[in-house]
Amino acid sequence: MDQLRYYNDKIHRTGLVNKLGVNYDSLLDNKPIPDDYDGWFPFSRMFSFSIGDWAIISGLFQLLHQKYPKMKLAIPSKEWLKSTYPKSELNKWSHSTLDPTDYLDLIFKNNPYIDLRFNVNEFPLIFSDHDRAYTNKVRPLVEQIMLMFGFSLDDVDTLDSRPKLYFSDEELDSCYNTIETTIGGKRRYGCLLFGTRIDNLKGRWDDKHLLKRVEGYKNIPIFYYSEFPLENTEWEDLFPERYNLQELGLSLRQQLVLKAHADVNISYQSGFNDAVCGTNSKQIVLNPYNKFKETHIRGVEYVFLNGEIKTF
């Protein structure tokens, strides 16, 4: 695979590698960033622009700010993405009528640790998820990036690097109003999300093991989005009180607030659900892979298609 780097707002190939990044052991005698660093840290994803791609690294910026208090953090503007990547590439990440350059607003709105949305000609060197350090075991991508930029193995094992969202008072008030006008008052509720960008898994998955796992939540009110009708399925029997998020007319941010405050999120693995996996909501996710990957998130309970249940 190609090891890539952003330089002067262009994508440069630096070499052909078997694994992206560098071996963590090679960094032990080097300090990539001094403790008192007071410069900029511009960062962008590389050829990965889904909602989930941004969500899974969104916890990085708070941790960088805590480790390097003088560091200034920047992520791309829409203009930079559109200038750096052809429309055909960005369109690969669109969903329905959504513009993938809007996903950064969806994930990073109100983030107090982002100092700038950079544009063309602002930084000669921009870091990316290709700047990572690997070890001899599978780690979430955000942890690999942390290891590259001065965090220790103890740090990544103890610090909370899960996705982070920041909501305004207005967004929270809107969520409380939705709850009041639908389920009424302070009732526990859950969210279902049955959608996927995986081409060979559109529609309903083999979810019998997921159904069994969530039986304990039977009859709680549910807000849901599904690519297949829930009527006349086991899901209808399990959750007879349901509220279709599309019919409620909620924006994606409003849906994220609602999901972030749910007692439980039950989902096929989805980038949109990944965004709320750093909240106090219980996460139970049907996993389409046979092993953990760098896109999985710590603390999430994954139900595998063979019936195994594991937490990363």
Side-chain angles (χ1 to χ4, degrees):
M1 66 188 72
D2 289 328
Q3 182 80 41
L4 304 173
R5 168 158 285 194
Y6 291 119
Y7 189 71
N8 288 333
D9 301 311
K10 303 293 183 183
I11 301 165
H12 295 265
R13 180 175 179 270
T14 62
L16 194 63
V17 296
N18 293 323
K19 186 179 291 189
L20 291 176
V22 299
N23 191 308
Y24 175 69
D25 291 340
S26 70
L27 299 174
L28 294 180
D29 296 326
N30 300 303
K31 199 169 185 64
I33 300 177
D35 291 337
D36 61 348
Y37 179 69
D38 62 357
W40 282 95
F41 186 91
F43 182 91
S44 176
R45 293 302 310 258
M46 180 77 75
F47 285 103
S48 300
F49 303 119
S50 71
I51 293 173
D53 290 328
W54 293 111
I56 62 173
I57 56 91
S58 60
L60 174 68
F61 301 93
Q62 180 178 344
L63 295 174
L64 283 171
H65 175 80
Q66 291 170 348
K67 185 171 181 62
Y68 305 106
K70 299 179 182 178
M71 176 186 283
K72 295 179 283 291
L73 302 167
I75 59 174
S77 64
K78 298 178 186 179
E79 292 75 19
W80 185 86
L81 286 172
K82 291 178 179 179
S83 172
T84 306
Y85 285 89
K87 187 175 181 180
S88 58
E89 175 61 32
L90 294 176
N91 283 346
K92 293 178 184 177
W93 306 99
S94 63
H95 181 69
S96 183
T97 60
L98 299 177
D99 182 343
T101 63
D102 288 334
Y103 298 161
L104 284 92
D105 294 323
L106 180 66
I107 299 300
F108 293 104
K109 183 180 180 181
N110 302 320
N111 189 315
Y113 304 104
I114 303 298
D115 298 291
L116 178 71
R117 297 286 299 275
F118 62 79
N119 211 328
V120 176
N121 297 323
E122 292 201 56
F123 298 107
L125 178 64
I126 294 165
F127 299 112
S128 79
D129 51 282
H130 279 217
D131 296 302
R132 61 174 78 176
Y134 54 82
T135 63
N136 60 359
K137 68 177 185 178
V138 176
R139 292 183 175 276
L141 174 59
V142 66
E143 293 182 7
Q144 297 179 52
I145 298 170
M146 290 168 65
L147 290 174
M148 183 67 185
F149 292 106
F151 292 84
S152 68
L153 289 173
D154 284 343
D155 289 334
V156 299
D157 286 339
T158 57
L159 294 174
D160 184 2
S161 59
R162 297 175 302 162
K164 296 291 185 294
L165 297 172
Y166 302 87
F167 301 118
S168 67
D169 289 342
E170 291 78 11
E171 288 174 323
L172 293 173
D173 287 343
S174 175
C175 174
Y176 302 148
N177 182 65
T178 298
I179 293 171
E180 184 64 36
T181 56
T182 50
I183 66 175
K186 297 181 179 180
R187 298 172 62 195
R188 64 195 295 251
Y189 69 90
C191 291
L192 295 181
L193 197 164
F194 297 146
T196 180
R197 289 180 54 86
I198 303 173
D199 289 336
N200 64 335
L201 286 175
K202 297 297 184 184
R204 189 173 183 180
W205 298 7
D206 180 4
D207 52 17
K208 58 181 178 292
H209 300 297
L210 181 63
L211 278 159
K212 183 178 180 180
R213 170 61 187 87
V214 302
E215 285 177 348
Y217 296 97
K218 182 178 175 66
N219 292 328
I220 67 170
I222 286 288
F223 296 93
Y224 76 95
Y225 168 84
S226 177
E227 289 184 349
F228 62 90
L230 301 186
E231 291 75 16
N232 301 313
T233 71
E234 299 93 330
W235 294 107
E236 180 179 43
D237 297 334
L238 199 59
F239 301 117
E241 184 181 352
R242 300 184 308 280
Y243 302 89
N244 189 323
L245 288 167
Q246 289 181 300
E247 293 177 358
L248 292 175
L250 302 180
S251 70
L252 291 181
R253 278 287 292 190
Q254 290 173 315
Q255 292 179 41
L256 286 176
V257 183
L258 200 62
K259 288 172 64 62
H261 291 84
D263 282 73
V264 62
N265 276 277
I266 302 163
S267 174
Y268 294 172
Q269 187 170 9
S270 159
F272 192 71
N273 197 74
D274 286 347
V276 299
C277 284
T279 67
N280 292 326
S281 176
K282 175 70 175 177
Q283 306 290 332
I284 304 174
V285 174
L286 185 61
N287 173 45
Y289 307 108
N290 58 12
K291 60 183 179 180
F292 284 127
K293 296 174 175 286
E294 65 181 31
T295 52
H296 289 95
I297 298 169
R298 297 289 187 197
V300 174
E301 186 176 307
Y302 290 101
V303 179
F304 287 73
L305 295 177
N306 64 1
E308 288 186 286
I309 299 176
K310 299 179 182 179
T311 300
F312 197 12

